[in-house]
Amino acid sequence: MTVSPLKENTFIPDRTFPINVFIVSNVGMHWHDHIEWIYVRKGRARIQIDAVYEQLGEGELAFVNSRQLHSVVTLTPDAELVCIVFNEALVRGSGLDITEHHYFLPYLNQRFNWPSTMKRGEASMAEMSESIERAVGEFKRKEPGYELLVKAELLRIFGQYFRYAQTCAARPMPQVRRSHDLSHLLQTLRSRYDSPPGVEEAAALVGLSPNHFCKVFKQVTGKTLLEYIHLLRVQEAERLLLDTDMPVTEIAGRIGYSNMTYFGRVFKKMKGATPSEIRKRGAAPPSNERRPEPE
């Protein structure tokens, strides 16, 4: 089975209560099977969710659906973000009441567009901030009954966000800076990193001229097409080095490099170490691993 090089295997300590809380600053580009709230506790940060990107300030919130590509870059040295990552099963009903079909299914299955962020100017943002901090506190302390209280706060956050989504549907959203939709192209690159499309083919996939495509792609991802492909390949190479005994030459060929010298140069530039050095370290954590909320 092929594993996407940007898929994060998020650490969930208790699979019977599938949630974890992380305190982060920068987060490399990745995706996972869970849903996630990203809350800016301090400072400012730039978040990318698929082809949507914008700045968030203190007290503001972003929603990341399952399998959406996303990353975070902090813009101030004091920036601190709270990431609540959880499986949708934690909040979805069993289909026995209206909440499943009226609220969760249309949005989590992406039949309806949900705003990706919520700003401080919204009336319910202060209440949502309080709910986030209460949920994080309960999860950290783990006192008897904490699961019920964490779940209750998550449902309260969702309730406020559903109201916000309905409001957004009836008005323009000028605060969201949208570029051309590169979602399909990014998915294509994730699945074809070993034999990716060139600039002309990639531009045709999104309906742009090659020159304009290069500008748009750099604006959305922060990288050129070639840099982005190198990122995908090197992430997969690192996974194979740590998880398999496959020879380095075979790994290079599998991810699309026919020249070992070139592969080694690209790998060391991105990881700060050679493939052999990474393999010797063995137990080194993945580069996009996140730090849990301290006990």
Side-chain angles (χ1 to χ4, degrees):
M1 180 177 66
T2 300
V3 178
S4 168
L6 290 185
K7 182 178 181 182
E8 177 187 79
N9 295 315
T10 312
F11 174 64
I12 302 293
D14 183 356
R15 293 292 170 179
T16 66
F17 190 62
I19 183 173
N20 207 351
V21 175
F22 303 90
I23 306 302
V24 303
S25 51
N26 295 316
V27 178
M29 195 175 297
H30 70 284
W31 63 274
H32 43 65
D33 291 323
H34 304 292
I35 52 181
E36 179 173 0
W37 293 108
I38 300 176
Y39 174 69
V40 182
R41 182 182 269 173
K42 298 178 184 177
R44 291 187 301 111
R46 178 183 181 272
I47 185 168
Q48 177 191 339
I49 303 175
D50 283 334
V52 177
Y53 59 104
E54 67 175 301
Q55 293 185 17
L56 294 180
E58 184 173 326
E60 296 180 334
L61 184 69
F63 171 76
V64 181
N65 210 336
S66 172
R67 296 179 172 267
Q68 283 192 304
L69 195 68
H70 57 287
S71 65
V72 179
V73 177
T74 53
L75 302 176
T76 57
D78 64 333
E80 181 177 282
L81 295 92
V82 177
C83 297
I84 304 177
V85 186
F86 56 100
N87 191 279
E88 62 187 54
L90 196 63
V91 292
R92 290 177 63 170
S94 60
L96 300 179
D97 59 46
I98 196 174
T99 59
E100 173 76 356
H101 295 282
H102 189 61
Y103 295 107
F104 286 105
L105 277 179
Y107 291 97
L108 296 182
N109 291 350
Q110 300 184 24
R111 293 203 306 270
F112 293 167
N113 290 326
W114 203 350
S116 57
T117 61
M118 189 171 183
K119 301 287 188 163
R120 278 182 298 180
E122 300 300 325
S124 56
M125 191 64 245
E127 182 177 349
M128 292 177 72
S129 298
E130 293 172 2
S131 285
I132 289 168
E133 293 294 357
R134 284 195 296 266
V136 170
E138 289 290 344
F139 183 82
K140 177 182 177 181
R141 292 188 296 272
K142 291 183 172 56
E143 297 173 350
Y146 83 93
E147 298 97 335
L148 293 171
L149 294 172
V150 168
K151 186 170 181 176
E153 296 298 346
L154 289 179
L155 288 172
R156 180 179 293 275
I157 294 167
F158 271 109
Q160 294 289 350
Y161 216 73
F162 281 126
R163 287 183 179 176
Y164 176 60
Q166 293 298 311
T167 302
C168 290
R171 72 183 188 198
M173 293 291 290
Q175 76 271 27
V176 178
R177 298 167 54 208
R178 294 184 182 272
S179 183
H180 293 269
D181 187 0
L182 303 185
S183 302
H184 176 67
L185 173 61
L186 295 178
Q187 291 172 4
T188 299
L189 293 175
R190 293 203 297 272
S191 63
R192 287 182 50 190
Y193 58 87
D194 55 337
S195 56
V199 170
E200 290 192 1
E201 183 184 349
L205 287 173
V206 296
L208 298 174
S209 69
N211 286 340
H212 189 42
F213 165 77
C214 291
K215 183 183 298 183
V216 168
F217 192 88
K218 180 68 178 286
Q219 184 183 46
V220 171
T221 67
K223 300 181 183 300
T224 66
L225 179 63
L226 182 59
E227 289 170 342
Y228 191 85
I229 291 166
H230 283 324
L231 171 67
L232 295 174
R233 288 174 166 178
V234 168
Q235 293 281 24
E236 174 67 356
E238 182 181 36
R239 184 189 72 81
L240 292 171
L241 286 165
L242 296 174
D243 295 348
T244 76
D245 295 324
M246 193 180 299
V248 176
T249 52
E250 187 176 343
I251 290 174
R254 173 172 290 200
I255 63 175
Y257 292 105
S258 58
N259 185 306
M260 272 297 297
T261 302
Y262 184 53
F263 164 63
R265 186 163 63 244
V266 170
F267 190 97
K268 186 170 184 179
K269 181 179 179 181
M270 298 190 70
K271 293 297 180 181
T274 66
S276 297
E277 289 169 344
I278 290 292
R279 173 161 276 171
K280 286 178 182 177
R281 294 174 188 174
S287 57
N288 62 350
E289 183 179 46
R290 290 187 275 189
R291 176 167 56 92
E293 171 79 352
E295 298 292 337

